[in-house]
Amino acid sequence: MTNNVVIILSCGTDNPNRSTRALFLATIAHKEGKNVTLFLLDEGVYIAKQGLADNLKAVTGDAGDDHVAYLQAHGVPIIACTPCAKARGIAPEDLIEGARMGTGVELIQLSCDAAVISL
């Protein structure tokens, strides 16, 4: 069994329940001692844009920004798909602290050695 977990999130503020759930799962996996990477695709790249996840809440009451803060504080990689971000007008300097741009090649490389959860 691998100790690596990749959470792939393809929705953002358009689906606060799924987005918050992905952030929650990334937090739980990290707390369980897993090597976690959060990879953001499509609308999910908005999670990495400064200020956009600040008020993200699920119907359960979970706050997305609390999970993002945890991931940032613990150095969990947050990777935004470069073409997805560029298509939405998001530049590297728009990203939250600890987030960076990445490519599909990197996602495949990460995924080949990890358990993958896609939301």
Side-chain angles (χ1 to χ4, degrees), residues 13 15 18 22-23 25 27 41 48-49 55 62 92 103 105 112-113:
T13 56
N15 192 330
R18 281 180 55 195
L23 298 169
L25 291 173
T27 298
L41 293 172
K49 186 173 180 185
N55 297 306
D62 282 337
T103 65
V105 171
C112 285
D113 187 33

Side-chain angles (χ1 to χ4, degrees), residues 36-79:
V36 178
T37 300
L38 178 63
F39 201 99
L40 307 171
L41 293 172
D42 301 324
E43 300 300 305
V45 297
Y46 286 118
I47 299 300
K49 186 173 180 185
Q50 293 178 33
L52 284 188
D54 289 352
N55 297 306
L56 191 67
K57 291 200 185 296
V59 292
T60 59
D62 282 337
D65 57 343
D66 290 344
H67 297 303
V68 169
Y70 175 90
L71 299 173
Q72 289 174 297
H74 292 87
V76 172
I78 301 171
I79 305 171

Side-chain angles (χ1 to χ4, degrees), residues 58-116:
V59 292
T60 59
D62 282 337
D65 57 343
D66 290 344
H67 297 303
V68 169
Y70 175 90
L71 299 173
Q72 289 174 297
H74 292 87
V76 172
I78 301 171
I79 305 171
C81 167
T82 300
C84 299
K86 286 183 179 179
R88 289 160 178 82
I90 300 172
E93 58 270 14
D94 298 327
L95 299 179
I96 59 175
E97 182 180 334
R100 64 176 177 80
M101 300 287 202
T103 65
V105 171
E106 184 175 5
L107 174 58
I108 296 302
Q109 290 171 344
L110 288 166
S111 298
C112 285
D113 187 33
V116 177

